Amino acid sequence: MTAKDAETEVQRQTDASRQRRLSNWKVRLQQDNAQVFRWVRSSESAPTVTLYDDEVDPDDPASMDSSGALVKIESFWQRVWNRDNSDAWTPQQYLREYGGAPEVEENWSPVSAQALSASAARQRHRAGGPDGWTGSEMAAWPYNMWADLEFVFQAWEQLGCFPKCWHFMTQVMLPKGNGQRLSDSATPTSKLRPISLMSCWWRIYVSARLDGDIERRWLESHLLTTQAGGRRNRDSQGSFCELAEGFAKGAYVGSLDLSKCFDHVRPSLACDTLVWKGFPRKLAAAIQKIWEGQLRILSWNKEVCPRIQGVRSSIPQGDSLSPRVLNLIMSMPMRHIVQQEPDTCHVVFVDDRSWCSPTLPSFLNVLHLWHEHSAKLGFKENKLKSQFTHRQPTKRQDMMQLEELCNGVTENLFALGAAMGFGSMLPKEQGRIEKAMACAAKVRLAPISAARRSFVGALAAGSKATYGWLVRAPPGTGLMSKLETRLRRVGYCHRMSSPALIRLVMGHPVDIQFQSGAALIGAVHRTVRRIRRIFSDWDLSGGPAQRAKKWLQSLGWSSVVPWVWQHPAFHFKLSLNPSSEDWSDDSEWIAHLLREAWRWHWWQKYMASQRHELVEFGDREYPKLLLENTRKMTSGANKNVIAVLTGAFVSPQMRTKQADDVQEKCPWCDGCGHFHHVAWECQNSPQVRSRPVIPQDPLVRRFGWGDNQVVQHLAACRDLLLRCRYGGN
């Protein structure tokens, strides 16, 4: 074999290998939605190797490779782990002052094989730890395996000691977003979020140990109702609505953030707090051994630091136990501050603290109390992220005169992932839309069916853009309009499709305006169900009421009394007043009413349009049941089916009307090429033998709605017509 032949053979095998990988990748995406989501959400570019230590010197020379980047990362985190905690109170000192009376130790049942098996199943597709075990491997174990291991886990609990290999964890760094240095685009080390990947064994055990009903009730009993994050039935959107209510009523609103919060929580503080609240002592001692004996492997850009880092002063971000413990710790200062300022609305989402106070002195007192507690706990306030606002410009001016507030006063406060205020779209909101645009573009390339692309696009891309519009509506033009168009095209929607029919057939997930509005109503409903009172900003602007009224009105709802609406299509009323006779605790029922009102709205829009086929339908009422069956037909549907369902069957006659230079007739008989001829009348059509009985309902006859046999026939006719029109086999 000559050198040229060898080179050709190598290239052939390389191409064949690439083709095999591509084929296998397509198969994985077609079989598993989780694989699709993982791909569309993955980053396109590798992490940069240019990092600089901004806390040492803003002009610190940037690293030139991954090894140099790891040196800067190591230096930064060494300072965090070896920080001076001499000014912080000891855990016992703080607990005696603010922890209340110590509680009796809980006597929990041993961890069960059933809990371990269920926990392992949730680890499927999760990244593995430094021991090499992956979540998918352990999720595949049979139940009998966990039945045998049950006693091993129970023995470890009784001994108060876990395997030493669980002390190892890989710390990966995730960039938080923009923040690069303008001169060289280097990334500051302080803008990297650390995630500690622990052993799958530990993750499975912690989840199995703490996700039981008894354990959950124990934790919930120690948390305040206004604490959110890592809790069932407590979400950031509902918490934000409570703050926005205060803002609309003229309260002073503030938001504080802790810098590297998990990394400033001492394991001794965390475990002493657990024991103080009644957590089993042996288990707490075993957890403390893990956390005070951490052996972290720093990783960046697929390289690792050669030196293993011993960490004793931080709890790992990435351990599912950490947010639970942090919630428990944060409940103590919050309870004290609530006692001091009972007229203030407080919201804590893990480490983000927000509040609104009716007076400026009360507002300042809350601020000072949080700073005092942070110092006593050994936390570090991120002063750069402190935000303060008031709806009145004159009050904001008064706040700017105070030294402790002046640097954080803003017109639009961004907290809990949402914006509060009257200004235009914020850079963070625009950034979300841009990320959603990029995600939607990627979804469109996925080698899956049109229906699945629509589903993935709505969840992966649409959810990014719809989140956080709780007191302001998303802009209906510009970037948001482009995103909505892109999301509709993700599921293959022909330009001749009716915009209204696209929404009716493909469903509400493709409509950003609806999704954002429904999220608001859902958040308000969940909140008032919990607090058992209505929001008091009905006649005010800047809060959830104004946004809810405008959005519901756009769907045809009219208010009867404050927080109760009626709709011409329903006998039922929509109530967000828990004391009204129309109130329902069922969130799904509320969501159903909103979806039906949205469908009714778009049906009215379609009937008022200038579509040529409307002459066949007369004054047709909203076909609820027919549409319900039609939406089920989109699952796994191809592009021709979706085109037919959404009105994109362009007959020869219609094409002739659209293009002045085109004269098109029936391709099979050279007769008149109107829709009914090519679809139902032509005797020379290749579909004539398989043609079903002509439906009596004009909607079924035209669009195939609700009848799978009819829609398949129409889709085949459209496909044949396009092949004749444009060529092809």
Side-chain angles (χ1 to χ4, degrees):
M1 180 181 292
T2 64
K4 187 175 181 180
D5 292 339
E7 184 180 352
T8 302
E9 179 63 19
V10 169
Q11 185 63 46
R12 186 190 67 80
Q13 292 190 19
T14 301
D15 293 343
S17 177
R18 185 184 298 111
Q19 195 60 44
R20 283 196 302 272
R21 292 196 304 271
L22 181 61
S23 299
N24 292 336
W25 171 76
K26 289 181 178 179
V27 170
R28 290 197 301 271
L29 262 61
Q30 290 164 1
Q31 294 177 344
D32 190 357
N33 275 340
Q35 296 282 350
V36 183
F37 282 110
R38 192 173 296 109
W39 176 68
V40 300
R41 290 169 173 166
S42 61
S43 176
E44 292 291 336
S45 57
T48 179
V49 298
T50 56
L51 301 181
Y52 74 102
D53 199 333
D54 55 313
E55 291 191 353
V56 172
D57 182 6
D59 298 320
D60 178 47
S63 58
M64 302 304 294
D65 51 30
S66 296
S67 298
L70 282 167
V71 170
K72 294 188 179 293
I73 291 172
E74 181 184 24
S75 175
F76 176 86
W77 285 103
Q78 283 289 347
R79 294 197 303 274
V80 174
W81 297 326
N82 298 319
R83 64 189 181 278
D84 182 14
N85 278 320
S86 58
D87 292 336
W89 285 18
T90 66
Q92 290 298 315
Q93 184 182 3
Y94 189 88
L95 288 166
R96 285 192 296 268
E97 184 70 24
Y98 301 107
E103 300 185 17
V104 178
E105 182 179 0
E106 295 283 323
N107 184 22
W108 293 340
S109 301
V111 64
S112 66
Q114 184 177 3
L116 291 167
S117 179
S119 178
R122 294 192 291 272
Q123 289 296 316
R124 192 178 306 275
H125 304 306
R126 301 288 180 86
D131 55 5
W133 286 100
T134 67
S136 295
E137 288 175 330
M138 301 187 73
W141 288 1
Y143 178 82
N144 292 341
M145 178 79 79
W146 294 110
D148 292 337
L149 288 171
E150 173 187 55
F151 306 102
V152 178
F153 282 95
Q154 293 173 6
W156 286 336
E157 281 190 6
Q158 290 299 316
L159 291 170
C161 184
F162 293 113
K164 289 186 177 181
C165 61
W166 291 5
H167 291 248
F168 287 88
M169 55 194 75
T170 303
Q171 178 174 312
V172 298
M173 265 66 62
L174 305 177
K176 292 185 178 181
N178 296 330
Q180 289 82 6
R181 190 164 56 186
L182 295 177
S183 59
D184 56 3
S185 299
T187 301
T189 51
S190 65
K191 298 295 184 182
L192 302 177
R193 177 180 289 111
I195 301 294
S196 297
L197 299 177
M198 305 181 70
S199 169
C200 286
W201 288 80
W202 172 258
R203 283 180 267 167
I204 290 170
Y205 167 74
V206 168
S207 178
R209 176 72 279 180
L210 299 180
D211 282 350
D213 292 338
I214 296 175
E215 293 84 353
R216 282 185 176 275
R217 284 197 294 271
W218 168 82
L219 179 60
E220 289 293 321
S221 68
H222 293 91
L223 303 182
L224 281 75
T225 58
T226 50
Q227 282 186 267
R231 301 178 67 186
R232 292 179 177 177
N233 303 318
R234 299 288 190 279
D235 62 285
S236 60
Q237 296 192 87
S239 300
F240 181 88
C241 287
E242 292 187 78
L243 290 175
E245 177 194 22
F247 174 82
K249 294 166 63 177
Y252 295 86
V253 184
S255 178
L256 300 176
D257 183 69
L258 293 173
S259 178
K260 302 284 189 294
C261 181
F262 290 99
D263 306 290
H264 284 77
V265 177
R266 293 163 288 168
S268 57
L269 170 64
C271 295
D272 283 3
T273 302
L274 287 172
V275 173
W276 192 273
K277 299 298 182 180
F279 195 85
R281 290 180 176 274
K282 281 188 177 181
L283 184 54
I287 293 169
Q288 189 165 346
K289 289 178 183 178
I290 293 285
W291 282 350
E292 289 188 341
Q294 299 172 61
L295 298 171
R296 297 197 191 187
I297 304 167
L298 298 179
S299 174
W300 180 255
N301 199 20
K302 298 183 179 181
E303 291 193 24
V304 297
C305 181
R307 295 167 294 279
I308 296 177
Q309 311 296 316
V311 180
R312 296 176 51 87
S313 59
S314 305
I315 63 175
Q317 185 172 344
D319 188 344
S320 62
L321 178 58
S322 295
R324 293 178 168 98
V325 174
L326 185 57
N327 275 340
L328 202 60
I329 293 172
M330 297 300 290
S331 70
M332 295 185 290
M334 188 176 179
R335 186 171 281 108
H336 175 247
I337 296 171
V338 169
Q339 292 171 353
Q340 296 294 310
E341 296 291 344
D343 295 331
T344 294
C345 173
H346 304 264
V347 171
V348 174
F349 190 87
V350 190
D351 65 317
D352 290 338
R353 298 142 295 155
S354 304
W355 76 101
C356 58
S357 300
T359 65
L360 186 56
S362 171
F363 180 83
L364 291 172
N365 190 35
V366 173
L367 176 66
H368 297 154
L369 287 170
W370 272 121
H371 285 172
E372 289 175 10
H373 278 279
S374 294
K376 293 173 182 177
L377 290 166
F379 295 165
K380 181 182 178 182
E381 293 284 353
N382 189 346
K383 298 287 182 71
L384 296 177
K385 289 189 176 182
S386 299
Q387 301 174 80
F388 317 108
T389 193
H390 194 281
R391 61 173 295 141
Q392 297 180 15
T394 55
K395 297 294 180 68
R396 292 199 298 271
Q397 287 294 330
D398 294 341
M399 297 169 76
M400 293 184 69
Q401 303 305 315
L402 302 175
E403 184 178 355
E404 60 262 61
L405 302 180
C406 61
N407 293 326
V409 177
T410 178
E411 180 183 359
N412 294 287
L413 185 144
F414 196 87
L416 303 174
M420 183 186 307
F422 302 101
S424 57
M425 187 165 57
L426 300 180
K428 287 187 177 180
E429 294 171 321
Q430 183 170 340
R432 281 180 183 168
I433 299 173
E434 291 173 348
K435 289 180 179 178
M437 290 275 287
C439 187
K442 202 170 181 180
V443 173
R444 196 176 184 185
L445 300 175
I448 55 179
S449 69
R452 287 184 66 200
R453 286 201 303 273
S454 183
F455 170 75
V456 173
L459 291 183
S463 60
K464 292 180 182 290
T466 57
Y467 187 85
W469 299 100
L470 299 173
V471 296
R472 301 185 298 172
T477 59
L479 197 61
M480 188 66 80
S481 178
K482 292 180 180 178
L483 174 61
E484 286 194 323
T485 302
R486 183 167 292 185
L487 283 175
R488 289 195 294 271
R489 291 176 178 174
V490 158
Y492 182 79
C493 291
H494 195 272
R495 63 183 181 86
M496 294 301 298
S497 296
S498 163
L501 295 187
I502 290 173
R503 289 170 170 86
L504 288 168
V505 171
M506 302 305 293
H508 60 280
V510 300
D511 192 319
I512 289 177
Q513 296 291 338
F514 172 80
Q515 291 288 74
S516 61
L520 164 67
I521 301 301
V524 172
H525 181 262
R526 292 190 301 273
T527 304
V528 298
R529 183 177 60 187
R530 173 171 56 83
I531 64 179
R532 308 310 295 185
R533 67 167 180 84
I534 62 171
F535 278 69
S536 54
D537 62 325
W538 181 256
D539 296 317
L540 303 171
S541 61
Q546 181 192 39
R547 167 89 164 102
K549 287 190 290 187
K550 288 184 177 180
W551 181 71
L552 288 172
Q553 186 179 11
S554 71
L555 296 183
W557 295 93
S558 58
S559 59
V560 182
V561 294
W563 297 105
V564 179
W565 292 266
Q566 62 183 9
H567 195 278
F570 312 124
H571 300 295
F572 313 99
K573 291 184 175 67
L574 170 64
S575 174
L576 297 179
N577 181 356
S579 62
S580 76
E581 62 180 8
D582 301 298
W583 167 261
S584 173
D585 276 341
D586 190 352
S587 295
E588 183 50 43
W589 169 247
I590 301 296
H592 170 72
L593 285 181
L594 296 176
R595 291 192 297 268
E596 281 301 308
W598 174 82
R599 293 170 188 135
W600 178 89
H601 165 76
W602 280 104
W603 177 255
Q604 305 306 315
K605 296 270 285 188
Y606 172 68
M607 294 300 291
S609 67
Q610 302 296 317
R611 299 278 299 189
H612 68 280
E613 68 268 9
L614 284 171
V615 296
E616 304 173 28
F617 308 146
D619 191 18
R620 183 69 178 261
E621 294 185 355
Y622 168 57
K624 181 178 181 297
L625 294 177
L626 194 59
L627 264 173
E628 185 177 334
N629 294 327
T630 301
R631 291 193 301 274
K632 299 176 183 177
M633 298 167 61
T634 60
S635 178
N638 60 37
K639 62 182 182 181
N640 281 308
V641 170
I642 294 176
V644 169
L645 294 173
T646 57
F649 190 129
V650 181
S651 66
Q653 186 182 69
M654 178 55 61
R655 188 163 184 265
T656 300
K657 291 181 180 180
Q658 292 173 342
D660 296 333
D661 58 341
V662 175
Q663 295 292 324
E664 187 173 314
K665 296 184 178 181
C666 175
W668 305 299
C669 70
D670 203 34
C672 177
H674 56 75
F675 171 81
H676 290 282
H677 174 82
V678 295
W680 298 109
E681 297 173 355
C682 182
Q683 296 302 310
N684 294 333
S685 169
Q687 289 290 112
V688 67
R689 292 185 178 181
S690 59
R691 183 185 294 161
V693 177
I694 302 178
Q696 295 299 310
D697 191 321
L699 284 173
V700 182
R701 191 165 59 243
R702 166 63 73 162
F703 302 135
W705 282 7
D707 192 317
N708 190 64
Q709 186 180 11
V710 173
V711 78
Q712 293 297 332
H713 161 69
L714 293 176
C717 285
R718 181 180 186 270
D719 183 58
L720 290 169
L721 192 63
L722 292 177
R723 293 175 186 273
C724 295
R725 182 176 295 163
Y726 300 111
N729 299 321

